[in-house]
Amino acid sequence: QVKLVESGGGLVQPGGSLRLSCAASGISISTYHIGWYRQAPGKQRQLVAHITTSGSTNYADSVKGRFTISRDNANGYLQMNSLKPEDTAVYYCNIYYYTDNYWGQGTQVTVSS
C-alpha cells in the first residue's frame, strides 16, 4: 500500500523558516514527479512548487525566491524561508507519474507573531 507522509510543519514567526519533508512508503519516490500544494481556510488548493524526476523545478510567483523544492532518492523537500502570514496553510505533498497519483495527509504551517 502506498503512503505519503509530510512532516516539518509548525508555528513560526514572520521571517522565519521551515523545512517540509515528504516520505513515501510502498513505492520509490525517485520515479515520480513531486508537487507541493497548499490550502488556506476558505481557499482552493494551489500548487506552490514542483520538481520533475530529472530535477526541473517551477514555483508559484508568490513563493519565488523564498521557497526551494528539492528531492533525493527517498524524500521530497520544501525549504521555506522568509515566511509570511499569508503562507499559513495546510501543505500537501503530491507525487505522480502517468496515471499514478498520490497525496499525503498534509501538514499545518502557521506563520504568526
Side-chain angles (χ1 to χ4, degrees):
Q1 184 176 356
V2 177
K3 186 175 182 181
L4 288 183
V5 178
E6 302 97 336
S7 61
L11 174 64
V12 63
Q13 292 186 341
S17 298
L18 285 173
R19 189 191 195 208
L20 306 184
S21 297
C22 175
S25 59
I27 53 170
S28 173
I29 201 171
S30 64
T31 60
Y32 289 77
H33 308 304
I34 301 172
W36 284 97
Y37 290 74
R38 68 186 180 188
Q39 187 167 19
K43 295 188 177 181
Q44 289 188 332
R45 191 173 297 188
Q46 62 173 180
L47 178 65
V48 173
H50 178 267
I51 185 168
T52 66
T53 53
S54 62
S56 296
T57 60
N58 61 67
Y59 299 89
D61 287 343
S62 59
V63 307
K64 281 181 181 176
R66 300 188 298 120
F67 290 12
T68 303
I69 190 171
S70 62
R71 64 187 302 158
D72 59 28
N73 286 337
N75 297 280
Y77 304 100
L78 186 67
Q79 178 67 42
M80 305 186 295
N81 298 329
S82 303
L83 282 161
K84 304 176 181 180
E86 51 264 43
D87 295 318
T88 295
V90 178
Y91 284 71
Y92 297 89
C93 176
N94 169 249
I95 66 171
Y96 71 95
Y97 195 75
Y98 288 105
T99 58
D100 287 352
N101 193 329
Y102 304 101
W103 289 87
Q105 83 290 346
T107 185
Q108 177 69 45
V109 171
T110 303
V111 185
S112 175
S113 55

